[in-house]
Amino acid sequence: MDDDARDWIAIRRAVVRYAQHRAGRADIAEDIAQEVLTRLMQVAETEQIGSIMALAFRIADNLLVDTYRRERRFDSDLDTEWQSDAPSPDRVLDSRSAVMVFQRCLRSMPPLRREVLVRRRLHQQACRDIAEALSLTPEAVEKHITRGLADLRRAMARAGVAIEDMA
Amino acid sequence: MAADLRAIDEAAAQWVQRMALPVQDSATAAAFDRWILDDPRHVDSYARMVQLWQSDGLRQALAANDVPDSAATALGPRGAPHRLWRSAALLVPAMAAAMLLLIVAPPLLRDPVRHGAPPGAMRVVALADGSRVNLAPGARIAVRMTPWSRDVTLERGQAFFDVAHERMRGFAVDGGQARVRVLGTAFDIDRMEGEAVVRVYRGSVSVAAGAGRQWRLSAGSGIALRGGNATTIDGITGSRPDWADGWFDANNTPIRQLIAHLNRGAATPIRLADPMLGELQVTGRFRLSDPEDALAAVAAIHDLNLRRDARGLVLSR
């Protein structure tokens, strides 16, 4: 481990933050980060990791799903209506009011941008295929997606759908 | 400021797209790590963007906008293949996740570093943090060091830990019945079947036995945990346990414990003709390297017979 130049402390800090956002609560973020880092370091000992942060976030996502499943099992007597494997902020984004906000925002976008988003997210088409079908360059497709997502984010923030407050 | 955040959101959205691909080249991977670690706001934005992109809410909103006539440009044929796409779309994220797991999962649960002492010999292990561990014959530990934690599991046997003091990083030993937490100190932990004994020689430790039961022990004291019972031990002297020098120090100790320790180092196993004999108590110092001599002393104290048969030494009434 001595020859490892990675800044594990900074990596850990980022994972805690990420887990806080994804979980929507602080109490499990530290535990999740601890487990993520332990696993990361085990992998790092033997494997070449492309993106350590991508792997870290992926492990955190999986652990969060596990955590919610476990907690749901414990709570199953109390709460049968609200059963979902998704962490709570995800449920916020799936709510009826969030869908309304998204729809309004999508309607106000240029139709081409909306079409790119529909093809990419809903139909899971590759950027290259979208570019071909719509006579765009792949760079333009990427621009449409990133701008579209930033618009959706801002729309959520304006509507006060509370994903920021939970972090 | 708002423009700043907008730029971060757009960058985050771009990374969500790029990192969703199952394979990235190493330059992209490194650039992503740099970007994430560069600014905490990048983590915030990325986390929210992942959430947004994957949300079922967005999927529903897009589906509502997916009306053939509303498209601004000429589109491919719709209908049956389209429905196929729709159901496939539900599967794709799961498949992407599965692929990623296939790539990275196998080594995730690799074991921590293990050290063991062979039967009949002690071993001293120097850990990466400067701590030293004396392993009794047959003892085995598993060590997991990270920049923020030092975790050891005493898988079996007995070990004496001389822990290098670190202000920020704790040192924990899981000994089955007892879990010991320290910063810097010296203590001995003996793990037996359904039983654990902790003795502190320097500094202080916190011992947890589960179910909220917890003790704070300082140098010179100890605790024996057996089932639900806890017995405190005092009068511990010296800077390390006698066994580390090859002695077993008994103080009204059941014979079974002495025999368990002798058996760790013995080439010839020792057994009791009657398990009840194990509850007889002894006091004194016994040399672990010479089981026959130690047992002869025990036999003399309690008027027992010591004999040798094909399987080893037997103590009987």
Side-chain angles (χ1 to χ4, degrees), chain A residues 137-151:
Chain A
T137 63
E139 291 73 29
V141 170
E142 198 181 49
K143 264 259 128 66
H144 278 302
I145 295 171
T146 56
R147 293 208 173 136
L149 277 172
D151 289 343

Side-chain angles (χ1 to χ4, degrees), chain A residues 1-2 7-15 17-18 21-24 33-35 37-43 45-47 50-55 57-59 61-62 87 89-90 93-95 98-99 102-103 106-107 111-115 117-125 127 133-134 142-143 145-154 156 163-165 167, chain B residues 6 9-11 13-21 24 26 28-30 32-34 36-37 40-41 43-66 70-76 78 82 85-86 88-90 92-93 96-98 100-101 103-104 107-113 128 144-149 151:
Chain A
M1 230 180 280
D2 296 337
D7 186 350
W8 292 106
I9 305 291
I11 292 170
R12 180 167 199 273
R13 210 177 294 133
V15 175
R17 234 179 147 92
Y18 179 82
H21 281 288
R22 295 291 272 145
Q34 176 85 4
E35 183 66 24
L37 268 280
T38 306
R39 294 198 192 180
L40 275 183
M41 298 181 90
Q42 285 169 11
V43 177
E45 272 174 35
T46 53
E47 308 282 304
S51 163
I52 193 125
M53 294 320 301
L55 179 58
F57 293 160
R58 171 72 60 179
I59 296 171
D61 287 345
N62 291 342
D90 292 356
L93 287 174
D94 296 347
S95 68
V99 175
F102 290 145
Q103 286 211 35
L106 285 168
R107 272 201 295 272
L112 183 60
R113 180 165 301 169
R114 187 167 59 227
E115 178 61 22
L117 284 171
V118 167
R119 283 171 175 258
R120 182 78 194 95
R121 172 67 176 84
L122 196 61
H123 303 317
Q124 309 277 330
Q125 288 183 17
C127 286
L134 301 179
E142 198 181 49
K143 264 259 128 66
I145 295 171
T146 56
R147 293 208 173 136
L149 277 172
D151 289 343
L152 286 160
R153 259 291 302 148
R154 197 169 44 181
M156 290 290 291
I163 42 175
E164 350 253 324
D165 310 340
Chain B
R6 168 86 192 185
D9 276 349
E10 286 192 16
Q14 200 171 41
W15 282 119
V16 169
Q17 295 300 309
R18 290 187 179 165
M19 300 317 281
L21 303 172
Q24 299 97 27
S26 57
T28 307
F32 176 66
D33 287 359
R34 270 198 308 279
I36 283 289
L37 295 173
R41 289 179 305 172
V43 183
D44 299 346
S45 178
Y46 181 79
R48 289 176 186 141
M49 212 49 97
V50 170
Q51 231 150 29
L52 172 62
W53 182 246
Q54 294 175 351
S55 71
D56 196 57
L58 178 59
R59 197 193 58 76
Q60 287 176 37
L62 288 168
N65 275 278
D66 186 25
S70 78
T73 32
L75 300 170
R78 299 262 173 155
H82 185 192
W85 259 122
R86 205 184 281 271
L90 294 172
V92 168
L100 226 144
L101 278 179
I103 297 165
V104 301
L108 279 185
L109 297 167
R110 248 170 33 83
D111 294 336
V113 183
R144 219 177 225 186
M145 292 268 173
T146 73
W148 57 90
S149 69
D151 288 298

Side-chain angles (χ1 to χ4, degrees), chain B:
Chain B
M1 191 64 195
D4 212 19
L5 290 176
R6 168 86 192 185
I8 291 175
D9 276 349
E10 286 192 16
Q14 200 171 41
W15 282 119
V16 169
Q17 295 300 309
R18 290 187 179 165
M19 300 317 281
L21 303 172
V23 181
Q24 299 97 27
D25 62 87
S26 57
T28 307
F32 176 66
D33 287 359
R34 270 198 308 279
W35 183 78
I36 283 289
L37 295 173
D38 187 44
D39 186 333
R41 289 179 305 172
H42 294 176
V43 183
D44 299 346
S45 178
Y46 181 79
R48 289 176 186 141
M49 212 49 97
V50 170
Q51 231 150 29
L52 172 62
W53 182 246
Q54 294 175 351
S55 71
D56 196 57
L58 178 59
R59 197 193 58 76
Q60 287 176 37
L62 288 168
N65 275 278
D66 186 25
V67 193
D69 299 343
S70 78
T73 32
L75 300 170
R78 299 262 173 155
H82 185 192
R83 269 205 303 281
L84 203 67
W85 259 122
R86 205 184 281 271
S87 55
L90 294 172
L91 280 174
V92 168
M95 278 163 56
M99 273 172 61
L100 226 144
L101 278 179
L102 279 181
I103 297 165
V104 301
L108 279 185
L109 297 167
R110 248 170 33 83
D111 294 336
V113 183
R114 286 206 159 71
H115 305 278
M122 281 195 280
R123 226 188 117 197
V124 180
V125 180
L127 302 182
D129 65 333
S131 299
R132 289 165 66 85
V133 187
N134 289 47
L135 295 173
R140 199 173 62 200
I141 55 171
V143 182
R144 219 177 225 186
M145 292 268 173
T146 73
W148 57 90
S149 69
R150 299 176 286 177
D151 288 298
V152 177
T153 303
L154 176 61
E155 295 183 330
R156 63 163 196 241
Q158 185 169 17
F160 171 64
F161 294 89
D162 194 337
V163 178
H165 179 82
E166 290 188 13
R167 214 160 57 80
M168 301 304 288
R169 191 161 65 152
F171 191 102
V173 180
D174 186 346
Q177 299 274 309
R179 191 167 162 77
V180 182
R181 262 193 180 285
V182 299
L183 287 173
T185 179
F187 65 98
D188 178 58
I189 173 162
D190 188 2
R191 179 175 183 163
M192 288 164 284
E193 191 67 38
E195 190 171 353
V197 181
V198 180
R199 295 180 185 84
V200 185
Y201 292 84
R202 194 185 69 235
S204 65
V205 309
S206 148
V207 179
R213 294 181 304 155
Q214 195 154 346
W215 296 268
R216 197 167 172 82
L217 305 176
S218 49
S221 65
I223 196 162
L225 298 160
R226 185 176 168 77
N229 295 329
T231 316
T232 51
I233 302 168
D234 50 20
I236 294 165
T237 55
S239 60
R240 60 187 201 153
D242 288 322
W243 69 260
D245 301 314
W247 291 91
F248 181 84
D249 215 1
N251 188 0
N252 289 326
T253 305
I255 293 179
R256 62 179 161 75
Q257 277 191 18
L258 170 61
I259 289 176
H261 287 86
L262 287 169
N263 270 338
R264 284 174 183 163
T268 46
I270 302 152
R271 61 185 206 279
L272 295 166
D274 176 356
M276 281 301 290
L277 296 178
E279 299 307 315
L280 294 173
Q281 294 184 337
V282 287
T283 297
R285 295 190 74 174
F286 300 87
R287 187 179 277 286
L288 287 166
S289 59
D290 193 349
E292 200 154 354
D293 185 52
L295 288 176
V298 171
I301 295 166
H302 286 289
D303 197 18
L304 301 173
N305 281 320
L306 179 66
R307 64 173 205 283
R308 182 184 284 272
D309 67 8
R311 286 192 287 152
L313 292 163
V314 191
L315 211 50
S316 61
R317 205 174 282 282

